[in-house]
């Protein structure tokens, strides 16, 4: 390696055993003996993701080196690189390092394809160093980093980095939406931000205002939204990546409650704060379609976002009210805090009119999903999709390091959603299994269309910083779904 450039800092990957390096690295005796000494004195570490910042002589030149542990590289998995690159970029940003040389052969392993390593590098370069300071007076200057590869890498890998960055930017866009305060991100402003964002993209945006929602019979969205001075919006986005006549359409549906006070079934002073995040399902659907268009996936997607604010007012819905859904069915509302399933019921029924082969919805739907799985795992419910399809999605979730576990919808729940004394359906009954009940309610509105329902109430946000980024909204499942669609349908 050349080390003439005095200003350069070299980034080096450290495997558990230095003889695990590829031949081209192993043959560089001076380099290996320098690292061996640093390692034996525990100045550098091979523990997965551990960073050290030191210096060493290479070819008589003193070089500042930053090392990252790779662990036992024979056992390295794709997801391990998420930690490796996340820790690296967070460290570089913290140290305000603006230029780095990456000694790329020290990152190669036989266990993970090179292309994947570069893709994750690109993803983490965006995702891991995300910050949101739009509402801070002392904004930090944007962080810029110039990366030089030692030696140069093929265009194919530069491309993989670029694709990873695009995915990361879409995740960060979803996080921005989630972070915005609810007095600013109202349903109408949400719609405006989304239409402006896709103005010059290959995504068609249609917005239905509060009046249209009511007139066209979206009785459940209207019911939830009418208690607020900030009326509801129905946002529909269409992306056509496959013009063939028999091409499938995938429908993505998102819960966009820009604030959930609970309504007359009011939340408490401890459970209400953070309910600005009740639109993260919608934000993540926006992030998904943003990535799908920027990566030009060969698939047709329709995204339906039901945006509403669940508030209290003289004209708000109240417990015991009955409303007529877009499906024509009547729904009794004993609990106004179970508002997500109401807006999703109408949004799902509407999405089904685009004749999708599959509907997937994302929602911060129930506290019960958190009780069942903890705050770091999503629940998935399958109504009518093949187990192969669900397994393919779960495999991508695993590779993206996003935890998802399946919960059932049974005859009990299908029966329970009909237990209203006076209407066709009810949005709530007393008893356990509330996440399952909610799943049965939402998926009822997709008729015979295969439907996966993701309850992301827990992992939509995270309470501590991780190698994927800061606490707050996570963009959960954007990476999983985009990866799945890319694998399944390819690129244009
Ligand atoms: N938005 C909440 C669910 C939620 C709770 C998300 C905590 C994130 C963290 C949802 O609208 C809600 O209030 N659900 C109720 C349903 C109940 C009334 C059947 C719940 O889970 O308590
Ligand atoms: Zn609620
Ligand atoms: Zn809610």
């Amino acid at each position: 390696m050349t080390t003439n450039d005095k200003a350069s800092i070299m980034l080096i990957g450290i495997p558990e055993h230095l003889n695990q390096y590829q031949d081209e690295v192993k043959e560089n005796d001076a380099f290996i003996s320098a690292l061996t000494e640093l390692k034996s004195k525990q100045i550098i570490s091979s523990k997965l993701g551990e960073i050290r910042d030191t210096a060493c002589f290479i070819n008589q030149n003193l070089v500042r080196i930053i090392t990252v542990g790779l662990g036992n590289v024979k056992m390295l998995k794709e997801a391990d690189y998420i930690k490796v690159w996340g820790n690296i970029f967070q460290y570089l940003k913290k140290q305000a390092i603006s230029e780095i040389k990456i000694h790329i052969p020290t990152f190669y392993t036989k266990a993970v394809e090179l292309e994947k390593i570069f893709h994750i590098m690109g993803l983490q370069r965006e995702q891991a160093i995300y910050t949101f300071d739009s509402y801070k007076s002392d904004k930090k200057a944007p962080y810029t980093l110039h990366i030089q590869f030692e030696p140069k890498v093929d265009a194919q890998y530069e491309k993989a980095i670029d694709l990873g960055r695009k995915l990361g930017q879409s995740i960060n866009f979803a996080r921005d939406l989630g972070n915005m305060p609810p007095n600013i991100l109202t349903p109408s402003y949400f719609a405006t931000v989304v239409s402006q964002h896709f103005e010059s993209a290959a995504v068609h945006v249609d917005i239905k205002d509060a009046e249209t929602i009511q007139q066209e019979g979206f009785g459940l969205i209207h019911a939830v939204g009418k208690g607020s001075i900030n009326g509801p919006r129905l946002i529909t986005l269409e992306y056509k990546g496959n013009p063939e006549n028999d091409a499938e359409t995938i429908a993505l549906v998102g819960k966009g409650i820009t604030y959930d006070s609970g309504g007359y079934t009011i939340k408490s002073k401890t459970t209400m704060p953070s309910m600005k995040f009740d639109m993260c399902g919608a934000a993540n659907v926006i992030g998904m379609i943003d990535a799908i268009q920027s990566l030009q996936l060969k698939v047709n997607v329709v995204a339906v976002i039901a945006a509403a604010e669940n508030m209290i007012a003289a004209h708000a819905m109240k417990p015991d009210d009955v409303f007529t859904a877009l499906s024509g069915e009547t729904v009794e509302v004993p609990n106004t805090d179970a508002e997500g399933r109401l807006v999703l019921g109408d949004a799902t029924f509407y999405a089904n009119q685009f004749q999708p082969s599959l509907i997937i919805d994302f929602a911060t739907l129930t506290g019960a999903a958190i009780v069942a799985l903890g705050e770091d795992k999503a629940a998935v419910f399958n109504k009518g999709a093949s187990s192969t399809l669900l397994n393919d999605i779960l495999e991508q979730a695993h590779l993206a390091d996003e935890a998802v576990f399946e919960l059932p919808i049974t005859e009990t729940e299908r029966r329970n959603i009909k237990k209203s004394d006076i209407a066709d359906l009810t949005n709530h009954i007393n008893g356990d299994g509330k996440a399952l009940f909610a799943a049965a309610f939402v998926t009822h509105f997709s008729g015979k269309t295969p439907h996966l329902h993701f309850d992301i109430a827990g992992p939509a946000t995270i309470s501590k910083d991780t190698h994927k980024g800061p606490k707050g909204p996570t963009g959960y499942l954007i990476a999983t779904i985009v990866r799945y669609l890319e694998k399944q349908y390819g690129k244009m």
Side-chain angles (χ1 to χ4, degrees):
M1 85 176 94
T2 51
T3 50
N4 300 331
D5 181 356
K6 287 196 292 300
S8 68
I9 305 170
M10 183 75 77
L11 180 71
I12 299 168
I14 309 292
E16 193 174 288
H17 306 290
L18 294 181
N19 64 10
Q20 289 178 320
Y21 277 134
Q22 310 285 290
D23 286 346
E24 54 188 306
V25 181
K26 264 197 297 205
E27 282 156 13
N28 187 339
D29 293 338
F31 181 64
I32 293 292
S33 70
L35 292 186
T36 305
E37 193 177 358
L38 289 168
K39 201 160 170 282
S40 71
K41 291 182 176 156
Q42 292 176 9
I43 295 168
I44 62 176
S45 166
S46 64
K47 191 168 167 235
L48 187 76
E50 243 177 63
I51 308 278
R52 294 283 191 277
D53 192 342
T54 181
C56 77
F57 281 101
I58 300 172
N59 306 333
Q60 277 96 52
N61 290 313
L62 188 62
V63 188
R64 177 170 172 195
I65 61 168
I66 294 172
T67 65
V68 60
L70 299 177
N72 184 347
V73 298
K74 280 197 189 129
M75 317 272 277
L76 261 190
K77 293 183 298 295
E78 201 180 317
D80 292 329
Y81 278 97
I82 301 176
K83 187 171 189 183
V84 167
W85 291 120
N87 286 0
I88 289 169
F89 290 119
Q90 287 173 354
Y91 183 80
L92 296 178
K93 184 179 182 184
K94 201 163 149 225
Q95 299 296 317
I97 291 168
S98 60
E99 265 180 67
I100 192 86
K101 267 190 186 178
I102 303 185
H103 188 250
I104 205 69
T106 58
F107 287 89
Y108 294 177
T109 70
K110 289 207 177 77
V112 182
E113 275 173 68
L114 209 47
E115 188 127 0
K116 301 269 162 60
I117 299 176
F118 282 105
H119 186 269
I120 296 170
M121 181 198 292
L123 169 66
Q124 286 295 65
R125 185 175 172 174
E126 301 291 336
Q127 179 180 237
I129 59 175
Y130 171 81
T131 49
F132 184 78
D133 62 4
S134 303
Y135 300 93
K136 293 271 190 194
S137 303
D138 61 337
K139 291 191 210 341
K140 298 203 177 69
Y143 172 62
T144 57
L145 173 68
H146 180 255
I147 298 176
Q148 201 185 319
F149 290 108
E150 181 84 27
K152 266 201 155 56
V153 301
D154 290 353
Q156 166 196 3
Y157 300 125
E158 298 274 8
K159 175 90 190 172
I161 296 173
D162 191 53
L163 298 176
R165 289 189 79 164
K166 286 194 163 119
L167 176 59
Q169 284 158 1
S170 298
I171 290 170
N172 289 349
F173 179 49
R175 287 166 155 177
D176 279 344
L177 292 167
N179 271 319
M180 287 173 77
N183 58 326
I184 294 179
L185 195 89
T186 58
S188 74
Y189 190 65
F190 196 175
T192 303
V193 173
V194 169
S195 19
Q196 280 172 358
H197 181 81
F198 291 109
E199 215 156 45
S200 55
V203 174
H204 178 262
V205 183
D206 176 72
I207 293 163
K208 291 188 195 294
D209 63 15
E211 214 183 351
T212 312
I213 286 171
Q214 185 178 10
Q215 276 167 4
E216 293 187 0
F218 294 84
L220 303 184
I221 300 178
H222 172 68
V224 172
K226 71 194 175 84
S228 171
I229 47 164
N230 304 305
R233 295 290 183 276
L234 188 79
I235 312 168
T236 306
L237 305 104
E238 280 180 276
Y239 166 81
K240 284 201 179 340
N242 188 348
E244 289 159 29
N245 283 332
D246 56 349
E248 295 174 1
T249 296
I250 305 290
L252 306 174
V253 177
K255 172 178 174 182
I257 298 298
T258 60
Y259 201 71
D260 184 8
S261 71
Y264 276 99
T265 315
I266 194 168
K267 289 186 181 293
S268 69
K269 65 184 172 193
T270 54
T271 57
M272 200 185 299
S274 82
M275 280 300 142
K276 70 167 184 174
F277 295 126
D278 212 18
M279 39 57 73
C280 281
N284 296 359
V285 165
I286 300 294
M288 286 170 203
I289 202 157
D290 186 54
I292 289 164
Q293 65 86 21
S294 81
L295 300 171
Q296 297 185 289
L297 301 193
K298 193 179 172 191
V299 60
N300 297 333
V301 179
V302 57
V304 179
I305 304 298
E309 200 180 44
N310 188 21
M311 300 295 282
I312 296 171
H315 42 81
M317 64 173 173
K318 58 196 175 296
D320 292 344
D321 280 351
V322 172
F323 302 98
T324 303
L326 186 65
S327 68
E329 293 156 296
T330 54
V331 180
E332 186 178 7
V333 178
N335 189 316
T336 65
D337 197 10
E339 84 298 337
R341 64 202 70 182
L342 296 176
V343 298
L344 286 172
D346 273 355
T348 299
F349 190 85
Y350 180 69
N352 203 26
Q353 294 177 1
F354 290 80
Q355 295 181 305
S357 58
L358 172 68
I359 296 177
I360 319 180
D361 81 82
F362 303 87
T364 49
L365 204 60
T366 66
I370 309 176
V371 173
L373 296 173
E375 62 171 16
D376 60 344
K377 294 169 215 76
V380 62
F381 298 84
N382 181 3
K383 191 213 73 186
S386 72
S387 52
T388 316
L389 190 151
L390 177 56
N391 283 335
D392 287 348
I393 291 182
L394 292 177
E395 185 190 342
Q396 293 308 319
H398 180 71
L399 292 168
D401 196 27
E402 295 188 306
V404 182
F405 288 84
E406 188 180 1
L407 294 178
I409 302 169
T410 73
E411 200 43 48
T412 308
E413 289 77 35
R414 282 191 285 269
R415 211 174 34 236
N416 284 348
I417 63 170
K418 295 180 179 159
K419 280 191 179 160
S420 163
D421 291 337
I422 62 163
D424 301 329
L425 298 165
T426 177
N427 82 329
H428 181 248
I429 60 160
N430 288 317
D432 291 336
K434 287 193 167 55
L436 285 60
F437 179 99
F441 189 94
V442 173
T443 56
H444 171 79
F445 291 89
S446 45
K448 292 191 160 47
T449 308
H451 186 161
L452 295 177
H453 158 64
F454 286 91
D455 193 330
I456 58 166
T461 58
I462 192 160
S463 51
K464 59 176 195 325
D465 300 352
T466 71
H467 56 261
K468 285 188 177 181
K471 67 177 183 181
T474 54
Y476 217 69
L477 299 180
I478 297 175
T480 295
I481 296 300
V482 172
R483 290 180 64 122
Y484 166 74
L485 293 176
E486 179 169 356
K487 180 136 193 251
Q488 198 65 24
Y489 298 97
K491 286 170 177 284
M492 277 166 83

